[in-house]
Amino acid sequence: MNGDCLFCKISEGSIPSEKIYESETLFAINDINPQAPTHILIIPRAHHSSLLDVEETDHELMGSIITVANKLALEQGLDKSGYRLVVNCGEGAGQSVFHIHYHILGGRPLKWPPG
Ligand code: AMP
Ligand code: ZN
């Protein structure tokens, strides 16, 4: 837990937020500023500032994000239309909250490469 971190505070509930998925190690919320009809954030509870902080001991946790992403994408009906799972790592890549999180985006055509 990092006392100054928005997602740590949402994880432990000191900032209220509707969690659409919750486990001991992960939770998911709808993005406050959605960039697509479905825009969900999957957030590990443990504080890692960015992908650069991920270590081998985190591999099981990071792998489980894919299972949760698929479950949420299916719930949102994105299995046929497709969805994007993306992490912004560092300011230059657009990261604005420095607690690791995966974006699920879907529900509209998604162009490649992203801007
Ligand atoms: P990134 O720019 O990749 O670090 O993504 C951070 C995301 O967090 C952005 O898409 C924001 O819209 C989103 N965000 C910021 N504050 C909140 C919040 N309180 N609840 C939900 N999403 C948030
Ligand atoms: Zn944090």
Side-chain angles (χ1 to χ4, degrees), residues 45-85:
R45 291 189 189 276
H47 182 88
H48 299 282
S49 297
S50 82
L51 272 188
L52 290 170
D53 290 343
V54 172
E55 296 176 355
E56 258 183 73
T57 48
D58 303 312
H59 283 186
E60 193 177 328
L61 169 65
M62 302 312 282
S64 70
I65 288 173
I66 295 175
T67 305
V68 174
N70 279 331
K71 172 186 153 52
L72 293 171
L74 281 170
E75 281 174 14
Q76 303 279 325
L78 299 178
D79 47 321
K80 298 232 162 29
S81 58
Y83 77 92
R84 185 167 291 162
L85 183 63

Side-chain angles (χ1 to χ4, degrees), residues 6-7 29-33 41 88 94-97 101 103:
L6 173 65
F7 288 168
I29 56 176
N30 285 310
D31 197 289
I32 204 170
N33 181 23
L41 302 175
N88 298 322
Q95 186 174 3
S96 61
V97 177
H101 52 281
H103 298 254

